[in-house]
Amino acid sequence: MITEAVKAQIRNIVGPNNAIDSTIECFGYSYDSSFVPMAKENIPELVVLPSSVQEVAQVMAIANANRIPVTPRGSASGRTGGSIPAAAGISLALNRMNRIVELDERNMMITVEAGVRTIDIYQACAQKGLFFPPDPASWKYSTIGGNVGENAGGMRAVKYGVTSNYVMGLEVVLADGTVINTGGKAMKNVTGYNLTQLITGSEGTLGIITKVLLRLIPMPKTRNTMQLMFGSLANACHTIHQMLMSGLVPAAAELMDKISLQAVARHRKLDISPGIEACVVLEIDGETKADLQQQAERIADIARRLEVIEVRIAASDEEVEEIWAIRRGLSSAIGAMAPNRFGEDISVPRDAFPRAVDLIRAIGEKYQLTIAVYGHAGDGNIHPSVLCDLSKPGEEKRVQQAVDEIFAAALSVGGTLSGEHGIGLTKRAYLVNALGEAGVQTLKAIKQALDAQGILNPGKIWQ
Amino acid sequence: MITEAVKAQIRNIVGPNNAIDSTIECFGYSYDSSFVPMAKENIPELVVLPSSVQEVAQVMAIANANRIPVTPRGSASGRTGGSIPAAAGISLALNRMNRIVELDERNMMITVEAGVRTIDIYQACAQKGLFFPPDPASWKYSTIGGNVGENAGGMRAVKYGVTSNYVMGLEVVLADGTVINTGGKAMKNVTGYNLTQLITGSEGTLGIITKVLLRLIPMPKTRNTMQLMFGSLANACHTIHQMLMSGLVPAAAELMDKISLQAVARHRKLDISPGIEACVVLEIDGETKADLQQQAERIADIARRLEVIEVRIAASDEEVEEIWAIRRGLSSAIGAMAPNRFGEDISVPRDAFPRAVDLIRAIGEKYQLTIAVYGHAGDGNIHPSVLCDLSKPGEEKRVQQAVDEIFAAALSVGGTLSGEHGIGLTKRAYLVNALGEAGVQTLKAIKQALDAQGILNPGKIWQ
C-alpha cells in the first residue's frame, strides 16, 4: 500500500494532476495489448506521469525508499504484458516525456525522450531524408521507450534489423533514482560494458529508460512491392532463403499460410485460387528504379525455379497499397475468424522456418485447433495464431497445451521464445527451457545487482 | 600463491604438459601488443592451456574455490593490456581450443571455439562464398575469443560494423565454473537480457568465452580501391562525410594526415607532392563492375566539389595492392620515425573528426611532440600516434600529459576512450571521465554480481 504521505511527496514532484489514484482511472493502466486477462491485482495504486528525467529520478528514489513496485509504461501496445503492473504499485507513464530533443543530421542520429511515438520519429527523420527503419505493427502509437524496452522488431527487420540495432545510447534512471548515460554518438565504442544493449530488451526491469539516442540511415531513394503465390509453403520458404543466400536482401519478406490467406480473403472479399498454399509479400528498395527492376527480376527467377504460381510486381502506388492491405489486414482478419485468438511470437533459425511451420500444423491437428501461421519469414520470426472458443468446455486447456507445445517446438529447432514481443508475463513459465537454470540465474544476478529490492517491473521475464 | 596441491589438481584436468609454471615460459605470457611496460608482477604463476569447455569449467571451479586470479588469453595481440595478468595467478590460454565447430551455410552462421584465428574464420567462410567482415589489424594472428572480448573493429567497420555486430551467441564459463549459453541462431531474439552483448567487449572480466556463434553475410561479388589526395584535412573529412550522408557507404574509408603520409613516403621511398595534406583510401564493393564504376564516379564527384587534388581509381589488382600497401605500412612507418611511439585509439562522432584532429594537433604543438594521425574516418575512429624519445629528460611526462589531453579532447567533442581496443590496463584512469561515477558503479555492480570474488581478469577496465 502506498501511504497518503508518500502520495503527497510524489504529487509534490510531478504536480497534483500527474499523480492519479482514482480506481476508475487507475484501471485504464492495468492492461495492454497482450492476451493477459484483466485482473484486479494488475490495477496500479498510483499512476504517475512525470515530465522530466529529474522527476523520474525523484519518484524512483521515493519508490525505492518505500519499496513500492514501479512499472514503466508508454502506449501499452506490448503483446506480453510488459507494461501491466503485476504487483500494483506505481504505473510510471512516460507519455508526457515526448520531446524530440535533437535531430543531428550531420551525424545521422536523433535523441528523443522515451514517450515519443515511433511514427513521430520516423516522420521527423523522413522530412530530412533520413530513415529510422524499425516498424513494429503498433508503430503508429507505440512509444520508443517501450520499443527499446521490449526490443521491438517489425517487417523491415530482415534487411534493417530490430530496434536494438539502432540504439546508440540511453539515459536511464536506476532503481534508486541514480541517472546514468550509456553509449554516445561515437559509432565505435568499447568503453566499459555494453549497458546500452543490456538495458535494451530488459523490459523495464533494470531501469527506467528516459531518453534514447538512435542512429539513422539515409532514406532509400525508391522502393517497390512484390507478391508471390505458391502452391507449397516449403517452396515459399525456400524462395526467401535462396534470395538471402544470393545476397538479395528485401526490406521486408512476409509470409502467410493458407489459413491466414483464407482469413483475409473472407474479410476483404478477395478470391484466392484454390491451389494457393502460401503468399509472400516482399518490399524491395534501392537507389534507382533500374536497380529495383533488376532485384525484382532476380527474385522472380528464383521463385520460378521453385514453382511459383503467380508473380505480381506492383506497377503503381495503388497496387503497392493493394498488396500491403492484405498483410496489414491480417491480424484483424484472423481475429475475426473465431471468438478467441492467442497470437504468439516465436523465432527460429531461418532454415528451420518450414520445419517449424510443419510442427505447428501438427500441433493444431493434435489438439483439433485451427492455427493460422504468418510471419517475418526473412528472419525466422513466426506469429502462430491459435483460433479458439474459450466458452467450449475443455478448450482453454487444449489451447494452453498447444501453446506449450508451440514453444517447445521453437526450442526444438534451435529457436527461441520471442522474436520481438519479449517475455513479459505471458512466457515466464518457458524461460528456463530456453535459457537453462544457469542462464536464468545469471539474469537474476544482474537484476539483483541493479535493483536489489526488486521494485522495477516485478513479476516479469521470470516467475 | 598457487599451491602445489592446486597445481596438481589443475594438471589432472588439462594434462601435465598444459599447465606450465616455469618462470621462463610464464614470462612469455606476461605481455601483449600494448605499450604497457613489461613488469615482474605481470608474470603469471601458472599458464593453463585447456582443450575443452569442460576443462575450462573445472579449472575455473578450482580457481574460484582458491581465489586465484584468471586472465584469459588468445594471441595477446591486444593493444590495451587485456590479456596481461595484472595480478599474476593463472594465464588461461585458449589457443588449443581452435576448432571450427560448424559452418552452417544455410543459416549463414559459423560456430567456432575461442582460440580460432580470425583469418581462419574469414577463409573458411570465403571458400563457401560467405563473408565474415571484421578485420582488426591483427586479424592474421588474433583469435576470435580476444576479438569478442575486446569487441575488435577494423577497417571494414564503416560499412559492416565491428565484431559485436556479428556475435549471435556465446558459450561462456562463469567465474565459478558454471557454463552458460547465450543467444542462438534465431535472428530475432528477445528472450531475457542480452548477455551476448553484455559479455562481448567485457574484456574477460565477466566470464571466459569458450565458443562463439557468428553470423555471416554473402561475400560481395566485386570490390575496388580508390585513393584521394587533398590539400586540406578538413576537405578530406568532409568528402567522407558527404559520401555517407548521400547513402554511399564504402567498405573502408581510411584517412591519413600529412605526418602519416610523410612517414610512409620516407619508409617506402615514395614521392608525395608538397601540397598534399591528407590522403583517403577507400574500398568500395558491390554486385557488379558497373555498380562499382558508378559508386566510384559519384565519390569522385563529391571529392571534386571539395577540391580534391588527385583521384586514383585502381585499374588493376596491382594498383589495388599499391594503394593499400601505403595504408598497411603505416603503423610500422610511423614507428620507425622516432625511438618511441604511443599509439592511441579514440572514437568521436563522425562530424567531430576534423575538430578532434585539430585538437590533437594543438596538443602536439603545446607539448612540442610530433603526433601522427590516421584512422577509420568513416566511423570516427582515430589512431593518434605520439612520437617521442623517452630517453630525453622530461619527455615521458610530456607524453603522458599529451595523452591525457588527447582523451580529454575525445570526450570534449562527444567521443569516447576507445573505438576498438578496449580499456584494459592503459585507459583505466580515464574511465570515470567517460562514464561518470554512477556509470562506473553500475559496471562494478554487474561485475560483482557475476564474479563476487573478483578473480576474472582483475585490474582491468577500472582501477
Side-chain angles (χ1 to χ4, degrees):
Chain A
M1 283 288 291
I2 307 177
T3 64
E4 286 307 317
V6 167
K7 287 181 186 176
Q9 280 182 290
I10 292 174
R11 283 198 183 96
N12 258 337
I13 296 163
V14 295
N17 295 329
N18 296 310
I20 302 161
D21 65 353
S22 82
T23 310
I24 185 76
E25 286 183 89
C26 285
F27 173 76
Y29 291 77
S30 69
Y31 54 86
D32 70 357
S33 185
S34 66
F35 302 97
V36 176
M38 282 191 263
K40 196 155 172 277
E41 59 268 27
N42 295 339
I43 302 174
E45 294 172 73
L46 190 69
V47 174
V48 179
L49 297 121
S51 69
S52 68
V53 60
Q54 291 78 13
E55 290 184 7
V56 173
Q58 289 175 279
V59 170
M60 286 310 302
I62 292 171
N64 200 47
N66 295 279
R67 297 194 174 212
I68 301 167
V70 177
T71 302
R73 189 182 188 277
S75 299
S77 56
R79 308 283 284 178
T80 56
S83 65
I84 296 178
I90 291 170
S91 171
L92 192 71
L94 294 151
N95 311 70
R96 290 176 68 212
M97 293 180 62
N98 59 359
R99 278 189 318 132
I100 291 179
V101 179
E102 181 200 43
L103 176 51
D104 177 350
E105 289 181 67
R106 288 186 56 79
N107 284 306
M108 295 193 274
M109 293 195 194
I110 190 168
T111 306
V112 294
E113 289 184 333
V116 176
R117 290 184 312 160
T118 317
I119 192 171
D120 293 335
I121 297 172
Y122 175 87
Q123 286 175 342
C125 297
Q127 280 169 17
K128 303 289 184 184
L130 293 169
F131 185 29
F132 177 64
D135 60 344
S138 55
W139 73 309
K140 290 191 179 164
Y141 50 101
S142 66
T143 61
I144 191 68
N147 288 174
V148 174
E150 301 292 341
N151 192 11
M155 298 201 284
R156 297 191 190 114
V158 55
K159 181 165 183 173
Y160 294 109
V162 295
T163 303
S164 62
N165 298 117
Y166 294 86
V167 183
M168 296 293 298
L170 296 171
E171 178 186 79
V172 180
V173 181
L174 300 178
D176 67 356
T178 305
V179 180
I180 61 168
N181 286 279
T182 75
K185 286 186 183 175
M187 292 300 291
K188 289 161 92 174
N189 187 339
V190 278
T191 302
Y193 304 154
N194 195 338
L195 296 180
T196 306
Q197 293 300 325
L198 175 66
I199 290 166
T200 298
S202 69
E203 308 198 31
T205 64
L206 298 180
I208 307 291
I209 295 166
T210 48
K211 210 180 279 169
V212 184
L213 173 67
L214 299 163
R215 74 181 179 91
L216 308 168
I217 58 177
M219 184 67 83
K221 298 215 172 36
T222 173
R223 54 179 65 152
N224 201 5
T225 295
M226 296 177 74
Q227 180 183 279
L228 309 175
M229 295 289 196
F230 290 89
S232 116
L233 189 90
N235 279 342
C237 292
H238 291 151
T239 297
I240 294 173
H241 195 256
Q242 292 198 9
M243 275 164 44
L244 297 171
M245 291 281 291
S246 75
L248 274 167
V249 186
E254 296 294 300
L255 184 136
M256 288 161 261
D257 76 348
K258 191 176 191 171
I259 298 167
S260 306
L261 275 175
Q262 284 169 341
V264 181
R266 193 194 302 181
H267 206 61
R268 301 183 61 90
K269 302 191 174 58
L270 299 172
D271 280 328
I272 308 280
S273 316
I276 304 293
E277 286 285 329
C279 169
V280 172
V281 175
L282 300 172
E283 182 172 285
I284 50 178
D285 63 11
E287 281 295 300
T288 62
K289 291 277 176 201
D291 173 31
L292 281 201
Q293 192 56 38
Q294 200 186 39
Q295 280 189 55
E297 277 161 26
R298 288 175 63 200
I299 290 168
D301 277 349
I302 292 170
R304 277 185 213 110
R305 285 200 293 275
L306 287 157
E307 299 170 17
V308 70
I309 292 176
E310 187 192 313
V311 174
R312 186 176 174 195
I313 302 171
S316 66
D317 288 353
E318 289 71 40
E319 272 195 76
V320 167
E321 271 315 297
E322 251 176 71
I323 296 173
W324 276 108
I326 295 177
R327 173 63 182 84
R328 274 199 225 99
L330 194 56
S331 186
S332 45
I334 289 172
M337 282 180 84
N340 304 94
R341 181 259 297 254
F342 289 83
E344 281 307 341
D345 161 47
I346 60 171
S347 184
V348 301
R350 280 168 168 163
D351 80 332
F353 201 102
R355 172 93 184 113
V357 173
D358 284 347
L359 289 171
I360 291 166
R361 285 188 169 175
I363 293 164
E365 279 163 32
K366 176 175 172 187
Y367 291 103
Q368 295 158 50
L369 291 164
T370 302
I371 306 180
V373 176
Y374 64 96
H376 314 306
D379 45 38
N381 191 187
I382 309 176
H383 295 312
S385 277
V386 183
L387 302 172
C388 54
D389 180 354
L390 295 185
S391 67
K392 279 193 205 163
E395 185 102 334
E396 187 161 359
K397 195 178 164 200
R398 281 189 301 126
V399 170
Q400 193 50 59
Q401 286 172 326
V403 169
D404 288 355
E405 291 195 17
I406 288 171
F407 288 124
L411 298 179
S412 77
V413 298
T416 190
L417 304 175
S418 174
E420 55 186 14
H421 293 174
I423 302 301
L425 289 169
T426 61
K427 304 187 188 183
R428 296 179 301 176
Y430 311 103
L431 191 74
V432 71
N433 299 339
L435 302 186
E437 193 54 54
V440 175
Q441 289 308 323
T442 307
L443 302 193
K444 288 183 179 175
I446 292 169
K447 166 73 173 175
Q448 173 71 20
L450 297 192
D451 177 20
Q453 302 201 101
I455 63 165
L456 279 167
N457 210 359
K460 305 300 166 68
I461 306 182
W462 54 77
Q463 278 177 312
Chain B
M1 281 289 290
I2 306 177
T3 64
E4 284 307 316
V6 166
K7 287 182 186 176
Q9 280 182 288
I10 292 174
R11 282 199 183 96
N12 258 335
I13 296 163
V14 297
N17 295 329
N18 298 308
I20 303 161
D21 65 352
S22 83
T23 309
I24 186 76
E25 285 184 88
C26 285
F27 172 75
Y29 291 78
S30 70
Y31 53 85
D32 70 358
S33 184
S34 67
F35 302 96
V36 176
M38 283 190 262
K40 198 156 171 279
E41 59 269 27
N42 296 339
I43 302 174
E45 292 171 75
L46 188 68
V47 174
V48 179
L49 297 123
S51 68
S52 69
V53 61
Q54 290 79 13
E55 290 185 6
V56 174
Q58 288 175 280
V59 170
M60 287 309 302
I62 292 171
N64 200 47
N66 295 280
R67 298 196 173 210
I68 301 166
V70 176
T71 302
R73 188 180 189 278
S75 299
S77 56
R79 307 283 283 179
T80 56
S83 64
I84 296 177
I90 291 170
S91 171
L92 191 71
L94 294 149
N95 311 69
R96 289 177 68 213
M97 293 180 64
N98 61 357
R99 277 190 318 134
I100 293 180
V101 179
E102 181 200 43
L103 176 50
D104 177 350
E105 288 181 67
R106 287 186 57 79
N107 284 305
M108 294 192 273
M109 294 194 193
I110 191 168
T111 306
V112 294
E113 289 184 333
V116 176
R117 290 184 312 160
T118 317
I119 193 172
D120 292 334
I121 297 173
Y122 175 87
Q123 286 176 340
C125 298
Q127 280 169 15
K128 303 290 183 183
L130 294 169
F131 186 29
F132 177 65
D135 60 343
S138 55
W139 74 308
K140 290 191 180 166
Y141 50 102
S142 64
T143 61
I144 191 67
N147 288 174
V148 174
E150 301 292 341
N151 193 11
M155 296 200 285
R156 297 191 189 115
V158 55
K159 180 165 185 174
Y160 294 109
V162 294
T163 303
S164 62
N165 298 117
Y166 294 86
V167 184
M168 296 293 297
L170 296 171
E171 178 187 80
V172 180
V173 180
L174 300 179
D176 67 357
T178 305
V179 180
I180 61 168
N181 285 279
T182 74
K185 285 186 184 176
M187 292 299 292
K188 290 162 90 174
N189 187 339
V190 278
T191 302
Y193 305 154
N194 195 341
L195 297 180
T196 306
Q197 293 300 325
L198 175 66
I199 291 166
T200 299
S202 68
E203 309 197 31
T205 65
L206 298 180
I208 307 293
I209 295 167
T210 47
K211 210 182 279 171
V212 184
L213 173 67
L214 299 163
R215 76 180 179 89
L216 309 168
I217 57 176
M219 183 66 82
K221 298 214 174 33
T222 172
R223 55 179 64 152
N224 201 4
T225 296
M226 295 177 74
Q227 179 182 281
L228 310 174
M229 294 290 198
F230 292 88
S232 114
L233 190 90
N235 279 342
C237 291
H238 290 152
T239 297
I240 292 173
H241 195 257
Q242 292 198 10
M243 274 165 45
L244 297 172
M245 292 280 291
S246 75
L248 273 168
V249 186
E254 297 293 300
L255 185 136
M256 287 161 262
D257 76 347
K258 191 177 189 168
I259 297 167
S260 305
L261 274 174
Q262 285 169 340
V264 181
R266 193 194 303 181
H267 207 61
R268 300 183 62 89
K269 302 189 173 61
L270 299 171
D271 279 330
I272 309 280
S273 316
I276 304 293
E277 286 285 328
C279 169
V280 172
V281 174
L282 300 173
E283 182 173 284
I284 50 178
D285 62 13
E287 283 295 300
T288 61
K289 290 276 175 202
D291 172 33
L292 281 201
Q293 192 55 37
Q294 200 186 39
Q295 281 188 54
E297 278 162 22
R298 289 175 62 200
I299 290 168
D301 277 349
I302 293 171
R304 277 185 212 110
R305 285 200 293 276
L306 287 158
E307 299 169 17
V308 69
I309 292 176
E310 186 191 315
V311 175
R312 185 175 175 195
I313 303 171
S316 65
D317 289 352
E318 289 70 40
E319 272 195 75
V320 168
E321 271 314 295
E322 251 178 71
I323 296 173
W324 278 109
I326 294 177
R327 172 62 183 84
R328 273 199 226 100
L330 194 54
S331 186
S332 47
I334 290 172
M337 283 180 83
N340 304 94
R341 180 257 296 256
F342 289 82
E344 281 307 341
D345 161 46
I346 60 172
S347 183
V348 301
R350 279 169 169 162
D351 81 331
F353 200 103
R355 172 92 184 113
V357 173
D358 285 348
L359 289 171
I360 292 166
R361 285 188 168 175
I363 293 164
E365 279 164 31
K366 177 174 169 188
Y367 292 102
Q368 296 159 51
L369 290 164
T370 302
I371 306 181
V373 175
Y374 64 96
H376 315 306
D379 45 38
N381 191 187
I382 309 175
H383 295 311
S385 277
V386 183
L387 302 171
C388 54
D389 180 355
L390 295 185
S391 67
K392 280 192 204 162
E395 185 104 331
E396 187 161 359
K397 195 178 165 202
R398 282 189 300 126
V399 170
Q400 193 51 57
Q401 287 172 326
V403 169
D404 289 354
E405 291 196 17
I406 288 171
F407 288 124
L411 298 178
S412 77
V413 298
T416 190
L417 305 176
S418 173
E420 54 185 14
H421 294 174
I423 302 302
L425 289 169
T426 61
K427 303 186 186 182
R428 295 180 301 176
Y430 311 103
L431 190 74
V432 70
N433 299 339
L435 302 185
E437 193 54 53
V440 175
Q441 288 309 321
T442 307
L443 301 194
K444 287 183 180 175
I446 292 168
K447 166 74 173 174
Q448 175 71 21
L450 298 192
D451 178 20
Q453 302 201 102
I455 63 165
L456 279 166
N457 210 358
K460 304 300 166 67
I461 307 182
W462 53 76
Q463 278 175 312

